[in-house]
Amino acid sequence: MSRTSAAQNAVVELLRVSPVADDLAARFAAAGHRLYLVGGSVRDALLGRLHAGDLDFTTDARPQEIMRLVKPWGDAVWDTGIAFGTVGASKGGAVCEITTFRADAYDRVSRNPEVRFGDTVEADLVRRDFTVNAMAVDLTTRRFIDPHDGMGALEAGVLDTPATPQESFADDPLRMLRAARFASQLGLTPAPRVVEAMAAMSAEIERITPERVQAELSKLLCGAHPRAGVELLVDTGLAAHVLPEVPAMRLEIDEHHQHKDVYEHSLVVLEQAIDLEGGTGPDLVLRLAALLHDIGKPDTRKHVDGGGVSFHHHEVVGAKLVRKRLRALRYAKDVVEDVATLVFLHLRFHGYGKGEWTDSAVRRYVTDAGELLPRLHKLVRADCTTRNRRKAAALQRTYDGLEERIARLAAEEDLARVRPDLDGNEIMRLLGLPPGPQVGKAWRFLKELRLDRGPMEHDEAVAALREWAAEQGLGDAALAVDQGEAHDADQVDPARGEDQPG
């Protein structure tokens, strides 16, 4: 297919999938303005992956005029970006962003431009991040506009900048992370001059806020080819500024001596974890855990007799490092804790194959993982990267056995809801205690007992509680309850109580 035919097909596809674009263009044309579909919308139409729900437009109309034209048309309209020339609107389920032609100047200190409006679409396109995003469709004339050969770049699978990459990245260093993100999402290979500029200017990323870095990193990891994006970050030195624990793993030899280094091993684990996701779509928590599961190894490496290397407790150190890094990147608290928990637990399975796990150990494995158990299964399986097929098959069979054992115990004991056999209210009644820390200690004792022994009869649990209470010096309280006497609540400070399940 010729480029002309491809461009015409892209225009047809854009208007077929996005009828609101035609409708909106007619309003602008009636007011004497041109409206263009631009950027990712055009790129994705050429790639055959356009989604009608998110459309970007540019126009010669100034912001207040855009607002005047859009307000009576949209189902909802917002002006949060109007200072930068952008008005947002939703119509028929499509979200539209309409921006006045831009001809910005940057101070090269922050990434905030001095907003200047332009007069031509060509001048607007040259200031965009990459040539594949610098194409437009004139919705009035149906003309395809591609002054920087973005279509050719798409055909060649190359990521390049309309201006020089040095100018582009100096204006907005976030574009370097976007290059890695597009390598992951679209499978594009950055042009040599782009890679050189990223390596030379990697420190400029320090100008970008953690929130923006996190957003790009998450999109990169959830792309179709995250390994390519991570490798680009590491090879250009950007990772040393945004995720330094990852390049630090390049120097650490894997303890099984089956891989070039822990960094390479982690990339393989990431790919294998993605293969195990199934059809549920990208799982950011699982992918972060796969990439970062061994970041504790550099800090725990020790050389042992015979030339070997050990990484004792690297999962403990790794969980701490995960929390520190992901908090610095402003990830949500639940994401931080979920990834840290998976990193902390990922190594526990390796003691199972020796036949030493009791039912109690299996219960603890399930209880400690909680709702993360399905992800932990995938992470542990992905962590097997040995090239020895026999060993790999044996590990997978062993984990199959563990999952079968978990399923059996779950059916017998409802492992998803492992709780003490007596609740907090009954503990207080039996021991004559008001709400307070002693009730919490008793509750935790009974939970540990439940994990060790499995479900107990009510009388057995009561007897165990009374025995524990006597050892803790609470025997008189239990006796007082038996005799119907009131317990002296002044012995416990209720203000220091803990919330206990009722």
Side-chain angles (χ1 to χ4, degrees), residues 249-308:
M249 291 190 291
R250 284 182 298 179
L251 304 178
E252 307 305 325
I253 304 300
D254 175 81
E255 71 265 39
H256 304 298
H257 299 276
Q258 297 295 317
H259 303 278
K260 180 180 179 181
D261 53 32
V262 176
Y263 167 66
E264 286 290 329
H265 163 75
S266 298
L267 293 177
V268 174
V269 174
L270 172 61
E271 291 178 315
Q272 293 186 166
I274 291 169
D275 290 340
L276 294 172
E277 282 178 340
T280 58
D283 184 337
L284 177 62
V285 167
L286 177 62
R287 295 186 182 200
L288 280 167
L291 179 63
L292 303 178
H293 75 285
D294 275 348
I295 63 171
K297 284 188 172 179
D299 286 352
T300 57
R301 181 179 64 164
K302 289 185 179 180
H303 295 281
V304 297
D305 293 341

Side-chain angles (χ1 to χ4, degrees), residues 118-375:
D119 297 311
T120 68
V121 68
E122 289 79 11
D124 178 90
L125 294 176
V126 76
R127 57 165 288 279
R128 292 182 177 266
D129 54 1
F130 300 106
T131 60
V132 296
N133 295 329
M135 298 176 282
V137 172
D138 185 332
L139 292 171
T140 302
T141 65
R142 305 295 195 264
R143 182 169 63 99
F144 184 76
I145 304 166
D146 185 16
H148 306 288
D149 195 20
M151 184 183 294
L154 273 183
E155 289 177 345
V158 172
L159 194 66
D160 205 349
T161 52
T164 68
Q166 288 80 6
E167 291 177 282
S168 182
F169 299 155
D171 282 347
D172 185 358
L174 187 65
R175 290 171 174 174
M176 295 186 286
L177 284 183
R178 286 170 63 83
R181 191 242 290 185
F182 286 129
S184 170
Q185 287 184 328
L186 304 177
L188 300 176
T189 301
R193 69 172 192 160
V194 170
V195 176
E196 292 171 7
M198 290 171 68
M201 303 175 68
S202 61
E204 293 294 307
I205 201 66
E206 300 287 350
R207 289 161 47 191
I208 305 302
T209 64
E211 290 83 358
R212 297 302 299 272
V213 170
Q214 178 242 103
E216 290 297 328
L217 182 62
S218 295
K219 291 175 183 177
L220 182 162
L221 287 174
C222 290
H225 314 281
R227 176 170 182 157
V230 172
E231 288 178 328
L232 183 59
L233 292 181
V234 171
D235 293 344
T236 58
L238 276 164
H241 298 280
V242 301
L243 205 59
E245 295 81 4
V246 172
M249 291 190 291
R250 284 182 298 179
L251 304 178
E252 307 305 325
I253 304 300
D254 175 81
E255 71 265 39
H256 304 298
H257 299 276
Q258 297 295 317
H259 303 278
K260 180 180 179 181
D261 53 32
V262 176
Y263 167 66
E264 286 290 329
H265 163 75
S266 298
L267 293 177
V268 174
V269 174
L270 172 61
E271 291 178 315
Q272 293 186 166
I274 291 169
D275 290 340
L276 294 172
E277 282 178 340
T280 58
D283 184 337
L284 177 62
V285 167
L286 177 62
R287 295 186 182 200
L288 280 167
L291 179 63
L292 303 178
H293 75 285
D294 275 348
I295 63 171
K297 284 188 172 179
D299 286 352
T300 57
R301 181 179 64 164
K302 289 185 179 180
H303 295 281
V304 297
D305 293 341
V309 179
S310 70
F311 301 97
H312 292 307
H313 304 302
H314 75 267
E315 74 281 11
V316 178
V317 174
K320 292 179 181 178
L321 291 174
V322 162
R323 286 190 176 90
K324 182 178 179 181
R325 177 55 51 197
L326 297 189
R327 285 169 181 164
L329 288 170
R330 307 292 194 269
Y331 274 98
K333 182 178 179 181
D334 59 339
V335 172
V336 175
E337 289 307 311
D338 285 352
V339 176
T341 298
L342 287 171
V343 171
F344 178 73
L345 294 175
H346 85 273
L347 205 61
R348 189 177 294 184
F349 160 73
H350 292 282
Y352 181 77
K354 299 175 183 178
E356 299 171 354
W357 278 29
T358 61
D359 283 353
S360 172
V362 176
R363 292 187 197 102
R364 290 177 187 279
Y365 188 73
V366 173
T367 301
D368 289 348
E371 294 181 353
L372 294 173
L373 185 63
R375 284 178 169 134

Side-chain angles (χ1 to χ4, degrees), residues 95 151 158 167 173 377 405 482 495:
V95 176
M151 184 183 294
V158 172
E167 291 177 282
H377 287 331
R405 193 170 171 191
D482 284 342

Side-chain angles (χ1 to χ4, degrees), residues 66-88:
I66 298 173
M67 180 63 75
R68 186 185 71 79
L69 291 169
V70 169
K71 201 163 187 178
W73 172 82
D75 298 330
V77 177
W78 54 94
D79 62 357
T80 51
I82 199 166
F84 297 96
T86 300
V87 173

Side-chain angles (χ1 to χ4, degrees), residues 403-416 455:
E403 287 201 53
E404 291 168 4
R405 193 170 171 191
I406 289 171
R408 176 178 59 77
L409 285 173
E412 294 173 356
E413 303 179 11
D414 190 13
L415 287 185

